[in-house]
């Protein structure tokens, strides 16, 4: 199965290594094909470059974290335009899931979670992912 991971969970994985959020991301990386798109990579790079994270993780470690993700994740082209989520920024995750034929979106975003299931794609929280997705 292919899985799309929301940007906020990638950041949580970096900052909260022992948390349930991190365990869910680690499970996705170990057991599934993780999908990303160029816009999602750009968003993650932008978020990780923010100065507010300097006191938690060095710039060097954040850059290495992104490089590791890029070695593991599959970058998929996104051609679809989706307008199903209340938050327009979240539509890019839906479009990625649709175009990459992913079976699951892993997120903590309530706007996305309310859509579950969406066009045959499960949208699950980290806790639900840990407990039910196999």
């Amino acid at each position: 199965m292919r899985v799309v991971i929301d940007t906020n969970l990638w950041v949580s994985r970096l900052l909260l290594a022992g948390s349930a959020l991190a365990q869910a991301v680690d499970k996705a990386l170990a057991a599934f094909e993780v999908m990303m798109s160029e816009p999602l990579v750009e968003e993650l790079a932008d978020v990780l470059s923010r100065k507010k994270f300097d006191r938690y993780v060095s710039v060097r470690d954040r850059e290495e974290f992104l490089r590791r993700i890029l070695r593991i994740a599959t970058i998929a082209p996104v051609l679809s335009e989706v307008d199903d989520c209340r938050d327009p920024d979240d539509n890019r995750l839906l479009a990625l899931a649709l175009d990459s034929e992913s079976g699951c979106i892993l997120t903590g975003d309530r706007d996305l979670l309310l859509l579950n299931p969406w066009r045959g794609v499960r949208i699950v929280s980290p806790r639900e992912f840990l407990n039910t997705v196999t």
Side-chain angles (χ1 to χ4, degrees):
M1 179 175 66
R2 293 178 175 165
V3 175
V4 173
I5 300 174
D6 198 346
T7 300
N8 61 16
L9 293 185
W10 286 117
V11 174
S12 296
R13 170 62 187 92
L14 177 63
L15 298 176
L16 307 168
S19 68
L21 300 169
Q23 291 171 21
V25 171
D26 289 346
K27 177 181 176 179
L29 290 169
F32 303 104
E33 183 178 10
V34 174
M35 306 304 294
M36 293 192 82
S37 63
E38 289 296 330
L40 194 59
V41 170
E42 291 170 11
E43 177 185 27
L44 181 57
D46 177 60
V47 170
L48 290 176
S49 71
R50 294 179 183 164
K51 290 211 173 280
K52 70 180 183 179
F53 296 118
D54 287 353
R55 63 180 154 180
Y56 305 109
V57 182
S58 71
V59 171
R60 186 179 195 171
D61 287 347
R62 286 179 273 162
E63 290 170 349
E64 178 60 24
F65 179 73
L66 184 58
R67 278 192 293 274
R68 287 181 182 194
I69 292 170
L70 293 174
R71 284 194 296 266
I72 296 168
T74 301
I75 306 297
V78 177
L79 303 175
S80 296
E81 290 189 28
V82 175
D83 192 29
D84 293 353
C85 190
R86 185 183 69 82
D87 182 348
D89 291 338
D90 292 333
N91 285 314
R92 75 175 107 207
L93 291 171
L94 297 172
L96 171 59
L98 184 66
D99 285 357
S100 66
E101 299 179 353
S102 293
C104 181
I105 297 174
L106 176 57
T107 185
D109 187 307
R110 296 189 78 113
D111 290 327
L112 287 168
L113 291 168
L114 289 172
L115 297 175
N116 183 49
W118 176 82
R119 298 190 193 185
V121 177
R122 291 181 62 192
I123 303 174
V124 298
S125 69
R127 180 74 56 204
E128 185 177 355
F129 188 81
L130 285 171
N131 293 332
T132 64
V133 176
T134 57

